[in-house]
């Protein structure tokens, strides 16, 4: 169940975009100067307040000079790690069940 305190997809993407922009020491004014994007729109997207298209993300990734996949890897890193842990637990449980069956015989 998703808690209302958990960031939604747009917030996760926005947080990733902002963290990359900040790491590159760029301000919204800098992005406006080197692209056709406007600051208020970028700010809304970075705060998860505005929906964004894949095309826009690719354009923004080009402005930031990063691979677009970096946005998604950063935005959903915890989700990916959680899925990997679930897979590991599932495998571990199946091994445990197999060993219990063998010890019962």
């Amino acid at each position: 169940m998703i808690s209302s305190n958990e960031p939604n997809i747009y917030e996760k993407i926005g947080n990733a975009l902002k963290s990359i922009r900040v790491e590159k020491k760029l301000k919204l004014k800098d992005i406006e100067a080197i692209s056709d994007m406007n600051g208020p729109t970028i700010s809304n997207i970075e705060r998860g307040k505005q929906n964004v298209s894949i095309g826009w993300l690719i354009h923004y990734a080009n402005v930031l000079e990063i691979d677009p996949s970096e946005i998604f890897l950063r935005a959903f890193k915890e989700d990916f790690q959680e899925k990997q842990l679930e897979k590991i637990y599932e495998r571990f449980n199946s091994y445990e069940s197999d060993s219990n069956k063998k010890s019962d015989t």
Side-chain angles (χ1 to χ4, degrees):
M1 181 176 202
I2 297 175
S3 125
S4 61
N5 294 336
E6 185 176 318
N8 68 31
I9 289 172
Y10 302 117
E11 289 170 334
K12 289 178 180 185
I13 290 171
N15 288 334
L17 291 171
K18 184 174 183 176
S19 71
I20 294 166
R21 178 178 58 78
V22 170
E23 283 173 17
K24 291 187 163 282
K25 297 177 176 40
L26 293 169
K27 297 181 190 254
L28 291 176
K29 292 185 298 190
D30 301 327
I31 300 297
E32 284 182 301
I34 59 176
S35 75
D36 60 352
M37 302 171 168
N38 71 22
T41 299
I42 297 167
S43 177
N44 283 335
I45 291 169
E46 287 184 349
R47 290 182 292 125
K49 304 295 182 200
Q50 185 170 330
N51 190 346
V52 62
S53 71
I54 295 293
W56 189 94
L57 286 174
I58 291 169
H59 179 65
Y60 196 58
N62 289 334
V63 170
L64 294 174
E65 298 178 340
I66 61 166
D67 186 304
S69 65
E70 175 63 25
I71 297 166
F72 296 102
L73 291 172
R74 194 175 294 216
F76 301 107
K77 181 179 181 179
E78 290 175 13
D79 298 330
F80 294 146
Q81 289 172 335
E82 192 173 304
K83 284 286 180 207
Q84 287 302 104
L85 283 176
E86 286 174 15
K87 286 180 183 178
I88 291 169
Y89 289 139
E90 284 173 16
R91 282 197 177 144
F92 179 75
N93 285 335
S94 70
Y95 290 134
E96 194 172 78
S97 297
D98 288 346
S99 65
N100 285 342
K101 288 176 188 172
K102 288 176 185 169
S103 64
D104 289 344
T105 56

